[in-house]
Amino acid sequence: MTDSKLRSADPELEHQTRQGLPSLVLAALGVVYGDIGTSPLYAFREALHATGGSGATHADVLGVLSLIVWALTIVVTLKYVTFVLKADNRGEGGTLSLMTLARESLAGRPKWVLVLGVIGGSLFLGDAIITPAISVLSAVEGIEVVAPALSNWVVPITLTIIAVLFFVQRFGTSGVASVFGPVTALWFIVLGLSGAIHIFDDPSVLGAVNPVHALRYIANNIGSAIAVLGAVFLAVTGAEALYVDLGHFGRRPIVTAWFSLVFPSLLLNYFGQGAFVLANPQMAEHPFFSMHPEWARIPMV
């Protein structure tokens, strides 16, 4: 088999041959991980609020953090990175690719698989509509911390940003990736550093890696468990992009970006927010922005 035929038979190899792994990793950061990278803005905060106002206690913080840590580990690392990314359809990912693989593996290509594929595509469309709104709105809400007098401008600014983002998508994945890749890489670096600094506020927060804290929290808070789990799920919104964008970048760049930068940065930031809240329970309303010094809040917004 010639090199050209080999590359055409393996889309991931073709991607890496043309652009190089580092370039693809950087591009994947901007396209694949932009959404899950904004989850620290609101996921931990909303999970604390869902506890019913008692979220600043040590047990609640460790319980919520443990749920977030293991949600990221199980849903993203175990489910998507370890298994789902390997289920590609000639290099392409996404719900419809899974549907095609399932239909081809079953005799008679049953229609119920097609129905499931359409339902899955509809759910993904709904997620694709609501998640950018949540991400951008949560980012712009930082204005309320920096300049409370401008709180009335949060929604208009959010709508403007979303309109601009959807407008620039017409330039294609490569154009978006070339701009957002370096910005998102810097964002994750800052996330990790800011979180790591605040872990020293209360190092006991690292105990959240023990899943017992998550199980104990659920067992002791049955009444609010569903609401908290719903908020914890916000920490993994955007994880489906790992599979959906498989055809753009290939498996190796997506996996490399996750383990080398995204996953460690997210964990450090969530732990930092937890430690900050334990040390400053009165500032649990907006832990992400509040844990930064005043000079850094505007750049973070």
Side-chain angles (χ1 to χ4, degrees):
M1 182 180 291
T2 64
D3 289 343
S4 61
K5 288 182 179 179
L6 179 62
R7 286 194 296 269
S8 62
D10 187 348
E12 183 173 338
L13 181 60
E14 182 177 6
H15 280 307
Q16 296 171 15
T17 303
R18 288 181 178 178
Q19 299 185 29
L21 181 61
S23 298
L24 282 171
V25 169
L26 188 62
L29 284 171
V31 175
V32 177
Y33 293 110
D35 193 3
I36 198 171
T38 58
S39 295
L41 291 168
Y42 52 83
F44 181 65
R45 178 193 70 193
E46 294 303 321
L48 287 183
H49 293 174
T51 61
S54 60
T57 67
H58 192 271
D60 286 347
V61 168
L62 260 63
V64 167
L65 272 179
S66 186
L67 287 169
I68 291 176
V69 168
W70 285 100
L72 288 169
T73 302
I74 295 173
V75 175
V76 184
T77 303
L78 185 61
K79 173 187 170 183
Y80 279 101
V81 173
T82 305
F83 293 107
V84 177
L85 286 181
K86 296 179 181 178
D88 65 283
N89 181 25
R90 299 175 184 177
E92 294 293 333
T95 303
L96 299 184
S97 294
L98 274 180
M99 178 196 71
T100 302
L101 290 173
R103 294 193 74 194
E104 290 178 349
S105 65
L106 296 174
R109 297 194 174 191
K111 292 184 178 180
W112 61 267
V113 177
L114 176 62
V115 173
L116 287 179
V118 172
I119 294 174
S122 301
L123 292 172
F124 174 73
L125 177 61
D127 179 75
I129 290 173
I130 192 174
T131 307
I134 295 174
S135 299
V136 178
L137 179 61
S138 297
V140 179
E141 279 180 342
I143 293 176
E144 296 179 348
V145 178
V146 177
L150 298 178
S151 59
N152 291 335
W153 288 91
V154 169
V155 173
I157 292 174
T158 299
L159 293 175
T160 302
I161 292 175
I162 291 176
V164 171
L165 288 175
F166 276 97
F167 176 77
V168 300
Q169 284 188 330
R170 61 191 289 267
F171 297 108
T173 301
S174 60
V176 173
S178 64
V179 176
F180 284 94
V183 174
T184 308
L186 177 61
W187 172 253
F188 278 113
I189 292 172
V190 174
L191 281 183
L193 290 176
S194 63
I197 292 171
H198 282 283
I199 289 177
F200 293 99
D201 292 349
D202 192 334
S204 68
V205 77
L206 294 174
V209 297
N210 187 345
V212 171
H213 289 289
L215 298 175
R216 184 181 296 146
Y217 176 84
I218 296 299
N220 295 335
N221 299 273
I222 298 297
S224 60
I226 297 298
V228 172
L229 288 173
V232 167
F233 180 75
L234 295 173
V236 296
T237 54
E240 70 284 344
L242 276 74
Y243 187 51
V244 173
D245 291 317
L246 183 62
H248 291 299
F249 306 103
R251 181 177 183 272
R252 190 179 176 191
I254 293 174
V255 172
T256 301
W258 174 253
F259 283 114
S260 64
L261 182 59
V262 179
F263 192 35
S265 297
L266 290 175
L267 290 181
L268 286 172
N269 193 267
Y270 283 122
F271 280 126
Q273 288 190 55
F276 176 78
V277 169
L278 287 177
N280 305 274
Q282 74 281 4
M283 303 183 76
E285 185 68 21
H286 289 286
F288 179 84
F289 290 106
S290 297
M291 73 177 184
H292 293 91
E294 291 189 11
W295 62 266
R297 290 175 185 173
I298 292 179
M300 290 303 294
V301 172

